[in-house]
Amino acid sequence: MGVKQNLVRNAYTVWYLLTLGRSFKGDPEKIKADQNRKVYRLMKRAYNIPVYREKFDLSGTTPEDYHSAEDLVKFPTLTKPELRKWMQSEWDNHPEKHADTVILSTSGSSGIPLTMLYTQKEQACSDANWARVLSMAGYRPLRGKMYSFTPSHKVARMHKRDSIVQLFGLMRRKVVSEEKAVGDGLADMIRDINEYKADLLVLRRNVMIRLVQYAEEHNMELRKPKFYSPAGETVDALSRRILARAFGNGLIDAYGIAEMGSFIYEFPGEDYRYVGNDIAVANVYNDNNELSDNGRIIATSLYKHTYPIINYETGDLAKSFVKDGIRYFTDIIGRMNDLVKHESGDDSSAAELMLIANHAEGLSQFRFIQETYHDLLIQMVPDPFVENVDKEKAESIIVEEINKLFGDEFRIRFEWLNELPPDKTGKMRCFVCKVN
């Protein structure tokens, strides 16, 4: 990103930091009125975008039919294949926007890789919102120290020296790769965490669990930060107990999707999760596409106007309740990722497998199933918007990359399907390990 784009994003970030609400709590009527205004403004904007105009026409509605989060139930949902096709079209047909566009590639944790476009303003709002969330939890972004991983959708930037801002003790952050967070590599990460003395730890949930378990098994000290925020994976009840035992009660649990960032949050000491109602709508639909307390999370971003996300099928399930017109969440049953099991007794992250499929051409969905220590089944669904998918080429590339990663450890076979069915819990899992 160029100097000009950096300045633009930084200016927008400061503006959002000054204008976003300081808290998700407050007068329910004011919170709801602000969200309602933003829903209407978003739908007026979307009416002029072809992909959404078709949905207006399909539903027989106009922007005047949308003045609240609840009104969005009238609007058709947006699927990942639809969004992928639109994003690719935007990129291909508008090269004049490339310089000011931020590209994020989702991790493929749902088994459905996706490239997402953001404007500098949209990315700035997402960044400012995350800083606001951390502040609300008690962390101080300016003075605090953060130890975090390199997100799979961004290029790793490993700096040997601090930036000028960090030399003054501000916004200190150490970014590390999780590739070696397996086996005895966990010992090096534990020592690094202890030496850095971070106030906030942001790593994937499964990495945090493995760090805790490795420290306990090898009688190593693991420093307790003031706050910790597991990223990218659902924090289930068992994980909560393990993490609380090691890190205490400073859990900041943020739910989100790469397509629009995080928007549901659990703060230390709270019994339920808040929605960032000024930046998003988080509705819950039952099987009949009706508003419900329990069901599918259907997300709408209120700050993305150039590349709107409206009524998006996240693929996750949740339990919630509504009080004074405001929705709160009690449980999120998200996409789950397992570990690759090796006969040697070591485990490794499935994230690298996701990245391989994420960069394969012509796929709309995928799932890796480790059947035994040496048998790997890969289920794949061709992209319905790509004509004549070269399945043989896709298989060859994936096999080659897996062999680079694991050698000849696995016997790999492929199964091409028209659709990947969810498991019995209704979740979409892109990696399933059947090895005990």
Side-chain angles (χ1 to χ4, degrees), residues 28-74:
E29 289 189 5
K30 291 183 178 179
I31 293 174
K32 193 63 179 171
D34 177 60
Q35 186 184 60
N36 290 346
R37 286 192 298 269
K38 291 180 177 180
V39 167
Y40 178 55
R41 187 174 66 180
L42 173 68
M43 298 308 278
K44 286 204 303 182
R45 163 61 182 158
Y47 196 67
N48 297 314
I49 299 175
V51 68
Y52 285 116
R53 182 60 177 267
E54 292 179 6
K55 292 182 178 293
F56 276 106
D57 294 341
L58 180 65
S59 61
T61 61
T62 71
E64 296 304 321
D65 293 299
Y66 301 95
H67 290 273
S68 70
E70 293 74 20
D71 287 339
L72 289 172
V73 75
K74 308 170 190 175

Side-chain angles (χ1 to χ4, degrees), residues 253-268:
D253 191 10
Y255 169 82
I257 52 178
E259 294 87 336
M260 57 182 271
S262 62
F263 53 95
I264 302 176
Y265 310 96
E266 179 184 351
F267 299 108

Side-chain angles (χ1 to χ4, degrees), residues 149 178 202-212 229-236 238-240 242-243 247 251 253 334-339:
F149 71 104
E178 292 184 347
V202 183
L203 298 168
R204 296 188 198 281
R205 185 261 303 160
N206 79 76
V207 173
M208 286 190 180
I209 294 295
R210 283 185 280 138
L211 285 169
V212 172
S229 182
E233 299 165 345
T234 302
V235 184
D236 55 23
L238 176 60
S239 298
R240 284 172 180 271
I242 293 174
L243 295 176
F247 298 130
L251 173 66
D253 191 10
R335 301 175 296 267
M336 296 185 68
N337 306 316
D338 289 318
L339 295 174

Side-chain angles (χ1 to χ4, degrees), residues 301-318:
S301 172
L302 297 177
Y303 69 88
K304 287 179 64 62
H305 283 189
T306 300
Y307 304 111
I309 302 293
I310 303 175
N311 271 13
Y312 188 58
E313 295 274 6
T314 66
D316 294 327
L317 307 176

Side-chain angles (χ1 to χ4, degrees), residues 55 72-73 75-80 82 255 257 263-264 281-300 310-321 327-329 331-335 419 422 425-428:
K55 292 182 178 293
L72 289 172
V73 75
F75 201 71
T77 60
L78 177 69
T79 65
K80 284 180 172 64
E82 289 177 316
Y255 169 82
I257 52 178
F263 53 95
I264 302 176
V281 171
N283 280 331
V284 178
Y285 288 7
N286 60 21
D287 291 339
N288 296 320
N289 285 340
E290 301 166 333
L291 287 171
S292 175
D293 286 343
N294 303 328
R296 294 149 34 227
I297 300 176
I298 307 298
T300 296
I310 303 175
N311 271 13
Y312 188 58
E313 295 274 6
T314 66
D316 294 327
L317 307 176
K319 297 179 180 179
S320 67
F321 66 92
R327 186 175 296 279
Y328 303 90
F329 285 77
D331 193 18
I332 295 177
I333 310 166
R335 301 175 296 267
E419 182 180 8
T425 66
K427 293 175 289 190
M428 289 296 297

Side-chain angles (χ1 to χ4, degrees), residues 122-392:
E122 291 170 348
Q123 184 63 58
C125 184
S126 180
D127 293 343
N129 175 63
W130 181 234
R132 168 181 66 161
V133 167
L134 295 179
S135 295
M136 288 174 57
Y139 177 73
R140 298 292 175 257
L142 281 178
R143 301 296 303 179
K145 294 175 67 177
M146 181 190 305
Y147 188 98
S148 69
F149 71 104
T150 304
S152 59
H153 57 270
K154 294 182 179 179
V155 176
R157 296 180 179 180
M158 311 299 290
H159 299 294
K160 295 182 179 180
R161 295 180 298 176
D162 288 338
S163 67
I164 295 176
V165 173
Q166 291 171 332
L167 288 174
F168 284 97
L170 301 174
M171 301 179 69
R172 290 169 293 175
R173 179 182 181 185
K174 184 167 187 177
V175 181
V176 300
S177 171
E178 292 184 347
E179 292 181 357
K180 297 182 179 180
V182 295
D184 290 334
L186 292 167
D188 294 332
M189 182 171 280
I190 290 172
R191 285 188 282 267
D192 196 39
I193 290 172
N194 293 342
E195 181 181 348
Y196 189 65
K197 296 181 173 61
D199 301 302
L200 170 65
L201 189 64
V202 183
L203 298 168
R204 296 188 198 281
R205 185 261 303 160
N206 79 76
V207 173
M208 286 190 180
I209 294 295
R210 283 185 280 138
L211 285 169
V212 172
Q213 292 175 334
Y214 189 94
E216 291 179 346
E217 291 172 1
H218 294 80
N219 198 28
M220 291 184 69
E221 178 187 358
L222 178 56
R223 186 179 181 277
K224 181 186 296 185
K226 293 180 181 177
F227 305 99
Y228 57 100
S229 182
E233 299 165 345
T234 302
V235 184
D236 55 23
L238 176 60
S239 298
R240 284 172 180 271
R241 290 194 294 270
I242 293 174
L243 295 176
R245 183 175 69 233
F247 298 130
N249 299 319
L251 173 66
I252 305 172
D253 191 10
Y255 169 82
I257 52 178
E259 294 87 336
M260 57 182 271
S262 62
F263 53 95
I264 302 176
Y265 310 96
E266 179 184 351
F267 299 108
E270 299 283 0
D271 295 327
Y272 48 82
R273 297 168 171 88
Y274 295 87
V275 178
N277 291 293
D278 55 352
I279 64 161
V281 171
N283 280 331
V284 178
Y285 288 7
N286 60 21
D287 291 339
N288 296 320
N289 285 340
E290 301 166 333
L291 287 171
S292 175
D293 286 343
N294 303 328
R296 294 149 34 227
I297 300 176
I298 307 298
T300 296
S301 172
L302 297 177
Y303 69 88
K304 287 179 64 62
H305 283 189
T306 300
Y307 304 111
I309 302 293
I310 303 175
N311 271 13
Y312 188 58
E313 295 274 6
T314 66
D316 294 327
L317 307 176
K319 297 179 180 179
S320 67
F321 66 92
V322 176
K323 180 180 179 181
D324 297 327
I326 306 296
R327 186 175 296 279
Y328 303 90
F329 285 77
T330 56
D331 193 18
I332 295 177
I333 310 166
R335 301 175 296 267
M336 296 185 68
N337 306 316
D338 289 318
L339 295 174
V340 180
K341 304 288 185 179
H342 304 284
E343 196 169 17
S344 63
D346 292 334
D347 301 330
S348 57
S349 173
E352 285 131 330
L353 289 176
M354 298 175 209
L355 289 176
I356 291 173
N358 192 34
H359 292 94
E361 296 181 358
L363 298 186
S364 65
Q365 292 180 284
F366 62 84
R367 176 183 291 142
F368 294 88
I369 302 176
Q370 185 181 0
E371 299 173 310
T372 71
Y373 282 124
H374 300 289
D375 292 284
L376 184 65
L377 168 64
I378 306 175
Q379 297 176 325
M380 299 195 294
V381 177
D383 191 330
F385 296 111
V386 175
E387 294 185 5
N388 301 319
V389 173
D390 191 337
K391 296 181 180 180
E392 185 174 341

